Amino acid sequence: GRGKAQHATVFAGEAGLTFHVHGTARQSQASVDMQAGLFSDYYVCEQVVEVDDDDEDDENEEDGEDENNGNNTSSGRGTKTEVVKGGEFCINLTTVLECLHVLGTNALERTKLCLSYDLHDAIFRIELLEETH
């Protein structure tokens, strides 16, 4: 191999992306924020997840009211659903940078890329998009 793989955790939220890298040799860490405004198009997916509701079991049982108050909805005894936007995933940063390096620094200024992460297949994609004028 040419070098050690450098892994990064990517946090995707409505405000943008955060890359968090741990350096093993010197026990260092670094974070880089890429605000959504840096991208021509930026969006994150919404996912509805079930969360345990053990904290409020006794409160609402006595009066029987206010069960569906707020953004969360009750979906049965002991669980609620919550809307989560974005998420986190890990990438091999060395491989990603090598893919971008193939294009060259001059090409990156006039090239449109699409970065995406498929939650179901756990695949991070970098796609080169053709410019249509």
Side-chain angles (χ1 to χ4, degrees):
R2 288 190 300 205
K4 286 190 173 186
Q6 177 63 62
H7 296 280
T9 303
V10 181
F11 300 92
E14 290 182 279
L17 299 174
T18 299
F19 291 80
H20 194 72
V21 181
H22 289 279
T24 54
R26 295 192 177 105
Q27 294 186 356
S28 59
Q29 56 182 332
S31 291
V32 174
D33 289 321
M34 296 179 73
Q35 299 299 318
L38 292 174
F39 302 95
S40 57
D41 292 311
Y42 180 86
Y43 65 92
V44 293
C45 296
E46 289 184 0
Q47 186 176 9
V48 178
V49 295
E50 286 190 2
V51 292
D52 287 336
D53 187 28
D54 293 336
D55 296 340
E56 299 182 35
D57 281 346
D58 299 329
E59 285 181 33
N60 292 332
E61 283 182 1
E62 290 178 23
D63 57 23
E65 296 177 27
D66 300 322
E67 283 186 20
N68 291 327
N69 224 358
N71 293 335
N72 299 338
T73 58
S74 184
S75 64
R77 185 178 276 288
T79 59
K80 283 188 173 184
T81 57
E82 185 175 284
V83 177
V84 176
K85 292 186 178 185
E88 68 179 77
F89 56 94
C90 291
I91 59 170
N92 181 334
L93 191 57
T94 306
T95 301
V96 171
L97 293 175
E98 284 178 4
C99 289
L100 295 175
H101 183 71
V102 167
L103 297 172
T105 54
N106 290 336
L108 285 177
E109 292 177 10
R110 59 184 184 278
T111 304
K112 190 170 186 178
L113 298 175
C114 177
L115 307 178
S116 63
Y117 184 78
D118 187 315
L119 291 171
H120 299 290
D121 297 330
I123 295 174
F124 179 69
R125 284 190 178 92
I126 301 174
E127 297 176 90
L128 182 63
L129 302 177
E130 291 185 29
E131 286 290 326
T132 56
H133 294 285

